[in-house]
Amino acid sequence: MGGQRVVIVDGDAGWRCHVASLLTRAGYRVVEEAANGIEGLKAVRARQPDVVLSEVNLVGMGGFELARTVQEDRLAPVILMSGSYDPETLERVREVRVFGYLVKPFDEAVLLPAVEVALANFQEVLRLERQVRELRETLETRKIVERAKGLLMEKLGLTEAEAFRRIQKTSMDKRISMRAVAEAIILTYEI
């Protein structure tokens, strides 16, 4: 709880004030409050909070739509709040894949752990997504280098090791990536 920024979206001004008070006492910074989904989304985009707490039932853009947009754009983790618990709402919460769901009324013993878990899980999701992108890039680079090696072996009669070494040496000499060298080789021999 080191001053993370929070946006609260709820049509009930009294409840927004209550949640803001709980969070502020715990060291969070409530950077903006909004009364409806459209204002909430604008606030999230403008203020770039670390976490968003949103009521499910909002005027205009509903809480589920707000949460879906914020989640898809990876702007912040969203914790949805609702005045009731029912299977239909819970199913929609699952579909949106928010980072938490709280039934009102709740106190700081419920709110604070939910916020901390949401923050930690969101960071883990971002880390895993970065790792997946890096692995895809590595795999794609390997495929391109393999294709270039195959072309060098076929066109120049090199062994696999010689073809690899030629790509590697060119990469080092020209100070460009092996992928860039491999792509140039592919362009040269596949025209």
Side-chain angles (χ1 to χ4, degrees):
M1 294 179 265
Q4 288 92 349
R5 298 174 323 277
V6 182
V7 167
I8 302 169
V9 186
D10 196 306
D12 181 345
W15 184 254
R16 280 195 321 265
C17 184
H18 172 68
V19 173
S21 173
L22 294 174
L23 291 168
T24 302
R25 278 197 313 257
Y28 295 94
R29 289 187 2 224
V30 177
V31 293
E32 195 154 341
E33 296 178 26
N36 64 57
I38 293 171
E39 288 177 11
L41 184 58
K42 286 178 185 176
V44 170
R45 291 197 187 283
R47 303 303 299 248
Q48 300 178 339
D50 297 304
V51 66
V52 176
L53 281 95
S54 176
E55 165 63 45
V56 168
N57 299 309
L58 296 171
V59 176
M61 175 188 284
F64 291 114
E65 188 178 346
L66 170 68
R68 182 174 283 115
T69 302
V70 170
Q71 299 278 111
E72 286 173 356
D73 293 348
R74 296 296 184 253
L75 300 172
V78 177
I79 299 172
L80 287 176
M81 306 177 289
S82 177
S84 64
Y85 167 81
D86 61 82
E88 181 183 315
T89 302
L90 190 57
E91 183 57 34
R92 291 193 66 197
V93 166
R94 281 191 196 114
E95 288 170 9
V96 177
R97 297 183 180 230
V98 293
F99 284 81
Y101 176 61
L102 300 173
V103 179
K104 299 178 192 176
F106 51 79
D107 60 12
E108 73 183 293
V110 172
L111 175 62
L112 300 182
V115 170
E116 285 300 309
V117 168
L119 287 164
N121 287 342
F122 185 69
Q123 289 308 310
E124 180 65 7
V125 166
L126 293 179
R127 186 189 69 75
L128 290 171
E129 287 176 346
R130 259 191 320 275
Q131 187 177 21
V132 166
R133 276 192 308 275
E134 290 168 3
L135 290 170
R136 281 188 181 138
E137 180 69 24
T138 299
L139 181 60
E140 187 61 30
T141 296
R142 275 196 185 162
K143 287 179 182 178
I144 292 169
V145 169
E146 287 297 317
R147 210 160 109 212
K149 278 188 343 190
L151 285 169
L152 289 176
M153 291 163 57
E154 176 188 328
K155 303 291 185 185
L156 303 179
L158 301 175
T159 66
E160 185 176 353
E162 290 169 334
F164 181 78
R165 180 67 186 129
R166 184 170 285 190
I167 294 169
Q168 189 178 46
K169 183 172 180 348
T170 303
S171 169
M172 290 188 294
D173 290 347
K174 297 198 180 279
R175 293 187 174 140
I176 58 175
S177 70
M178 286 182 61
R179 180 177 179 153
V181 172
E183 288 171 341
I185 290 168
I186 291 167
L187 282 173
T188 301
Y189 288 110
E190 285 190 347
I191 289 181

